[in-house]
Amino acid sequence: MKPIRVVTFPTSELLEAVGPLPDGLRAGVWDISGKPVGVGLEDIDAVILPYMADFSKLQGITAARNLKLVQTQTTGYDGVHDLVGPGVAVATAAGVHAASTAELAVGLAIASLRGIGESVRDQTRNHWNPGRWPGLADRRVAVVGVGGIGEEIRKRLDPFEVELSRFGTYARTDEHGEVMGIDELMDKASGIEVLILIVPHKESTHHLVGAELLARLPDGAVVINVARGPVVDTDALVAELKTGRLRCASDVFDPEPLPEDHPIWALPNALVVPHNGGNTEAFLPRMTSLLKRQMLAWAQGESSENLVADPAGGKG
């Protein structure tokens, strides 16, 4: 890889947090709207995308005609290759959000299984309403996705005395035991009481959780999505939730943001979090640490961390 000489940051605050850049590397500020500050468009080699960027507002990135690499601030990268086109490398923030997303996944499971959402609604009505809830202990939990965040979820579930199964792209055994293939998920669904989704969104996982799989989950099962909204068929989920048979506690939805008149808002068995999985105070120091390592590698012409392949073929 040729050394990166000019990089843009989406905000001056992030640039300041990263601190002095390695020799030979200079930076500008560009949120992909208007013109970059401090550098010329034709000079830009690398761009750090805004956090949780709306790609429909980033089409101006094509004006950087000599762009070699983009760095996301998210673990997911669906749509980034389409935005920048072939020939531009893509690096993600894998690892930055692992702890915070994992803690939210477990928190959502506890909140749903202990009726926290219902208690909050009761509080607004001054209504004392005790009841016996399933709880997380002894539940049959499936984690779908065994990457970095999936592993962090596994570690955090360990003290909760659950019966855990894991599903990955293909069946195998790792140091923590059996990993079943995602193609087995449908057959195993009837034994899953808590379904935690943390897979990338791509063609093979689009609507992975649809009407048929939802129908096979046992009564009272909870669907927890901390992956991407389209991994779940929203209409099919809403149909099941309306019957009262299932519950959901999700950080991501399709569409996002949820329209004000979307039916899921009004369902008492749905817990809605507005895509906050990685958005904690741990984010900035961890993102800063990653970017410092990336800057050093870029300046020296070394390969970036977290490079991802273009689904259309070839390395990003």
Side-chain angles (χ1 to χ4, degrees):
M1 178 177 171
K2 292 182 179 180
I4 297 293
R5 296 303 181 200
V6 177
V7 59
T8 63
F9 287 71
T11 65
S12 56
E13 290 79 11
L14 185 58
L15 173 56
E16 183 178 347
V18 171
L21 301 183
D23 290 342
L25 188 63
R26 61 190 180 96
V29 175
W30 191 31
D31 64 0
I32 329 294
S33 65
K35 293 183 178 180
V37 176
V39 297
L41 276 169
E42 68 281 357
D43 298 323
I44 296 172
D45 297 314
V47 168
I48 302 167
L49 296 179
Y51 179 60
M52 295 298 293
D54 178 351
F55 291 160
S56 68
K57 298 179 181 178
L58 299 185
Q59 299 303 315
I61 199 169
T62 59
R65 293 188 175 88
N66 295 312
L67 186 64
K68 299 182 181 71
L69 180 145
V70 294
Q71 168 73 56
T72 74
Q73 295 191 68
T74 56
T75 304
Y77 57 93
D78 42 310
V80 180
H81 286 101
D82 293 335
L83 175 69
V84 298
V88 177
V90 176
T92 74
V96 169
H97 305 285
S100 55
T101 303
E103 72 184 21
L104 180 63
V106 176
L108 287 173
I110 294 171
S112 183
L113 291 163
R114 296 301 300 264
I116 302 300
E118 281 84 350
S119 293
V120 170
R121 295 184 185 98
D122 286 336
Q123 182 178 347
T124 65
R125 298 182 289 123
N126 304 335
H127 180 46
W128 184 263
N129 186 24
R132 178 167 292 176
W133 291 90
L136 183 54
D138 301 334
R139 298 279 74 78
R140 293 168 293 173
V141 179
V143 176
V144 184
V146 291
I149 300 176
E151 168 58 13
E152 294 300 315
I153 294 172
R154 183 203 63 78
K155 290 194 295 189
R156 283 159 178 76
L157 284 171
D158 191 54
F160 285 95
E161 302 175 22
V162 303
E163 183 181 328
L164 181 64
S165 56
R166 296 178 298 148
F167 294 81
T169 305
Y170 58 92
R172 59 194 183 274
T173 299
D174 65 14
E175 64 269 32
H176 305 297
E178 181 182 17
V179 177
M180 289 175 276
I182 285 179
D183 57 355
E184 302 177 68
L185 187 59
M186 190 72 72
D187 291 338
K188 301 293 184 181
S190 62
I192 297 172
E193 296 172 297
V194 181
L195 179 64
I196 301 177
L197 303 165
I198 188 56
V199 290
H201 177 233
K202 49 188 177 180
E203 185 177 353
S204 62
T205 60
H206 185 78
H207 287 185
L208 174 68
V209 179
E212 184 179 0
L213 192 146
L214 290 167
R216 294 193 184 194
L217 293 173
D219 291 355
V222 183
V223 177
I224 296 170
N225 191 0
V226 288
R228 285 293 185 265
V231 170
V232 175
D233 181 337
T234 303
D235 292 341
L237 177 63
V238 168
E240 280 283 4
L241 293 174
K242 284 182 175 179
T243 71
R245 198 181 72 81
L246 300 180
R247 302 173 63 80
C248 86
S250 291
D251 181 47
V252 291
F253 295 87
D254 182 22
E256 285 188 10
L258 278 174
E260 291 183 4
D261 60 352
H262 198 282
I264 207 166
W265 287 113
L267 296 173
N269 47 350
L271 186 56
V272 175
V273 176
H275 208 145
N276 270 344
N279 200 11
T280 72
E281 291 186 0
F283 166 65
L284 183 58
R286 292 182 182 218
M287 190 69 217
T288 299
S289 179
L290 171 63
L291 288 175
K292 286 182 176 181
R293 298 195 303 272
Q294 298 287 57
M295 297 293 151
L296 187 59
W298 296 348
Q300 296 176 351
E302 297 175 356
S303 183
S304 299
E305 293 183 35
N306 303 335
L307 283 175
V308 292
D310 184 342
K315 195 75 171 177

